[in-house]
């Protein structure tokens, strides 16, 4: 059975929450796992609005320390404490985030009801952060004004499905079945070979999602996110404001589309929109002129991979 893999957008604006848009936060659901990418202000309100069970989140990933990407975090951690959370929480983020969290709770005289493990991210190369049975999470460097990482969620191969007709033709031992479902040919004590390709169905293509929060236009990104099924790439500005994008280390919608095209992404999800644009249709047209499979991220919308 193929596990569910989807992305729900809770916030898609940049520095100022306007036009009904909120700061960056995304929920990644993979089977029974629930991950949070960035935690901007208002994340909890958005989660309640869209019926996201925040208690299911056990791993949080923060891309960088600009406020619109993490200022909702302390509030979320406080809510977990007030609701007497017991289960451990792991937070991945840049140097300094652990100090910010620790300082807040020290000065508020709060001893959390649950354990937190903080794992520092590095923006030097691609790094494996989380290795689960069915998926992995990597960080990779983004070029912004302060240390920033993107995140790549990549599906792992699961157990293969056996061909029922083959099982009826040939009686297999438990050891043989386990081996074949794991993708390993089985050699019996009698010297008989049971080939994976003969007894199991082919595995479906592995799915992947890349999250590029804040970054200047960087053609080097394609080596980290090549062939992803869904790419979220910031598109803070339009081409008419390209100079402003360069100064602030952000990207335009057209540049995001160029990254999607060069990395051979299947679909591009635009986000992190500047407050100067109330209507985003022109931004979408700009991106689609380069990469037709571009769409605007919508808050409350889930995108299935």
């Amino acid at each position: 059975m193929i596990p569910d893999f989807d992305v729900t957008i809770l916030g898609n604006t940049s520095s100022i929450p306007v036009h009904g848009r909120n700061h960056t936060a995304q929920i990644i659901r993979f089977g029974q796992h629930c991950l949070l990418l960035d935690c901007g202000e208002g994340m909890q309100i958005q989660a309640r609005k869209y019926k996201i069970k925040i208690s299911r989140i056990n791993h949080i990933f923060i891309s960088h320390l600009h406020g619109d990407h993490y200022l909702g975090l302390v509030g979320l951690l406080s809510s977990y404490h007030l609701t007497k959370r017991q289960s451990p929480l792991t937070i991945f983020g840049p140097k300094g985030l652990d100090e910010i969290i620790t300082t807040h709770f020290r000065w508020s005289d709060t001893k959390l009801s649950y354990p937190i493990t903080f794992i520092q991210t590095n923006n030097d190369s691609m790094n494996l952060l989380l290795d689960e049975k069915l998926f992995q999470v990597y960080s990779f460097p983004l070029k912004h004004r302060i240390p920033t990482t993107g995140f790549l969620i990549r599906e792992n191969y699961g157990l293969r499905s056996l061909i029922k007709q083959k099982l009826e033709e040939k009686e297999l031992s438990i050891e043989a079945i386990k081996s074949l479902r794991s993708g390993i040919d089985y050699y019996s004590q009698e010297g008989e070979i049971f080939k994976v390709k003969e007894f199991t169905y082919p595995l479906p293509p592995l799915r992947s999602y890349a999250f590029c929060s804040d970054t200047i236009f960087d053609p080097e990104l394609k080596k980290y996110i090549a062939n992803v099924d869904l790419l979220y790439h910031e598109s803070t500005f339009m081409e008419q404001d390209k100079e402003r994008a360069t100064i602030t280390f952000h990207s335009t919608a057209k540049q995001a589309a160029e990254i999607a095209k060069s990395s051979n992404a299947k679909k591009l999800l635009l986000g992190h929109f500047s407050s100067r644009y109330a209507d985003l249709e022109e931004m979408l047209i700009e991106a689609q002129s380069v990469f037709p499979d571009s769409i605007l991220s919508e808050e409350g919308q889930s995108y299935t991979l």
Side-chain angles (χ1 to χ4, degrees), residues 34 54-60 77 80 84-92 112-118 132:
C34 192
I54 60 174
S55 60
R56 292 184 56 204
I57 298 170
N58 290 321
H59 299 90
I60 298 174
L77 301 182
Y80 282 150
K84 303 187 187 315
R85 178 186 176 118
Q86 299 294 318
S87 58
L89 181 69
T90 303
I91 301 174
F92 302 84
L112 297 177
S113 62
Y114 58 96
I116 292 179
T117 299
F118 178 81
E132 294 288 340

Side-chain angles (χ1 to χ4, degrees), residues 129-142:
L129 300 180
L130 183 63
D131 191 4
E132 294 288 340
K133 184 177 180 180
L134 296 179
F135 68 95
Q136 295 173 320
V137 182
Y138 295 84
S139 65
F140 56 89
L142 298 176

Side-chain angles (χ1 to χ4, degrees), residues 1-174:
M1 182 177 178
I2 300 175
D4 293 330
F5 185 6
D6 56 50
V7 180
T8 300
I9 305 297
L10 298 183
N12 61 6
T13 194
S14 56
S15 57
I16 303 174
V18 292
H19 312 307
R21 303 194 293 257
N22 295 269
H23 284 159
T24 302
Q26 300 183 6
I27 295 291
I28 311 300
R29 187 168 61 98
F30 198 106
Q32 298 301 311
H33 294 268
C34 192
L35 317 176
L36 173 61
L37 304 187
D38 279 349
C39 188
E41 181 183 358
M43 175 272 172
Q44 293 186 77
I45 294 174
Q46 289 292 91
R48 292 182 183 278
K49 179 178 180 180
Y50 298 116
K51 296 179 172 55
I52 301 294
K53 294 182 179 180
I54 60 174
S55 60
R56 292 184 56 204
I57 298 170
N58 290 321
H59 299 90
I60 298 174
F61 301 81
I62 302 298
S63 63
H64 64 297
L65 293 182
H66 280 157
D68 54 320
H69 293 263
Y70 86 94
L71 284 181
L73 181 58
V74 169
L76 176 62
L77 301 182
S78 298
S79 291
Y80 282 150
H81 173 69
L82 293 172
T83 55
K84 303 187 187 315
R85 178 186 176 118
Q86 299 294 318
S87 58
L89 181 69
T90 303
I91 301 174
F92 302 84
K95 181 180 180 180
L97 181 58
D98 56 339
E99 182 181 350
I100 291 170
I101 294 170
T102 301
T103 299
H104 173 85
F105 289 118
R106 183 175 73 248
W107 287 101
S108 66
D109 191 26
T110 302
K111 294 182 180 179
L112 297 177
S113 62
Y114 58 96
I116 292 179
T117 299
F118 178 81
I119 298 177
Q120 182 177 314
T121 54
N122 298 295
N123 66 333
D124 54 352
S125 61
M126 192 166 188
N127 294 293
L128 176 63
L129 300 180
L130 183 63
D131 191 4
E132 294 288 340
K133 184 177 180 180
L134 296 179
F135 68 95
Q136 295 173 320
V137 182
Y138 295 84
S139 65
F140 56 89
L142 298 176
K143 292 183 179 178
H144 196 42
R145 288 178 289 141
I146 61 175
T148 306
T149 59
F151 299 110
L152 173 68
I153 295 93
R154 180 184 292 163
E155 184 175 22
N156 284 335
Y157 282 116
L159 294 176
R160 293 170 177 259
S161 297
L162 295 168
I163 300 174
K164 185 177 180 180
Q165 181 181 350
K166 288 289 184 179
L167 295 180
E168 293 173 347
E169 295 174 358
K170 193 77 174 180
E171 186 175 346
L172 298 178
S173 66
I174 298 298

Side-chain angles (χ1 to χ4, degrees), residues 254-286:
K254 183 179 179 182
Q255 289 173 334
E258 289 171 351
I259 295 297
K261 184 177 181 179
S262 66
S263 63
N264 197 35
K266 291 184 176 64
K267 183 173 289 188
L268 171 64
L269 196 55
L270 301 169
H272 201 262
F273 309 120
S274 170
S275 60
R276 67 181 61 193
Y277 312 117
D279 187 351
L280 301 173
E281 285 305 309
E282 290 299 319
M283 180 175 285
L284 178 60
I285 292 171
E286 182 176 286

Side-chain angles (χ1 to χ4, degrees), residues 12-15 21 144 213-215 233-238 241 244-245 248-253 256 270-277 280 283:
N12 61 6
T13 194
S14 56
S15 57
R21 303 194 293 257
H144 196 42
S213 59
D214 285 16
T215 182
H233 193 292
E234 73 125 282
S235 55
T236 309
F237 297 101
M238 293 181 60
D241 297 308
R244 179 63 180 166
T248 58
F249 279 74
H250 284 295
S251 299
T252 68
L270 301 169
H272 201 262
F273 309 120
S274 170
S275 60
R276 67 181 61 193
Y277 312 117
L280 301 173
M283 180 175 285

